[in-house]
Amino acid sequence: MAAVPRARLLNLMKAQCEIFSTAYNPDGIRMGNKILRQRLKGPSLAKYYPPRGPTVSTLERAFKSLHLETINEEAEDRLEHLAGVRSRGKGAPKKKRTATKPAKK
């Protein structure tokens, strides 16, 4: 029995891919089609975690037009802690204020 020419097999494969709506890939190169066909995981992950509740800062921003006085204890505690750390010299270094000069060659 005689072997079928490669060109004829490729034509058959191309027609098969058109009929079954698959990607034509005669060289067998990794193209990621298997991954791209899968369902997206983002929506199911987002549904798994409950929605975040309002924080003091979000409520403050939402009702800014009413000029309400709010007290954000978490933010105040954080700032107080950072001030104490800086007073002991353990805080983050200050950022540079000047633009960096280009290095000489």
Side-chain angles (χ1 to χ4, degrees), residues 49-89:
Y49 294 103
R52 283 188 170 180
T55 61
V56 176
S57 57
T58 57
L59 290 173
E60 190 176 343
R61 271 187 257 124
F63 298 107
K64 197 174 203 175
S65 61
L66 299 176
H67 304 292
L68 299 174
E69 186 178 334
T70 57
I71 300 171
N72 191 347
E73 290 183 15
E74 287 181 19
E76 286 181 10
D77 287 344
R78 181 180 156 274
L79 293 174
E80 189 177 308
H81 171 72
L82 289 176
V85 167
R86 279 194 210 105
S87 69
R88 288 177 290 168

Side-chain angles (χ1 to χ4, degrees), residues 6 10 13 23-33:
R6 178 164 167 75
L10 289 177
M13 210 158 92
Y24 177 66
N25 186 11
D27 300 327
I29 299 170
R30 294 179 73 172
M31 295 181 1
N33 289 332

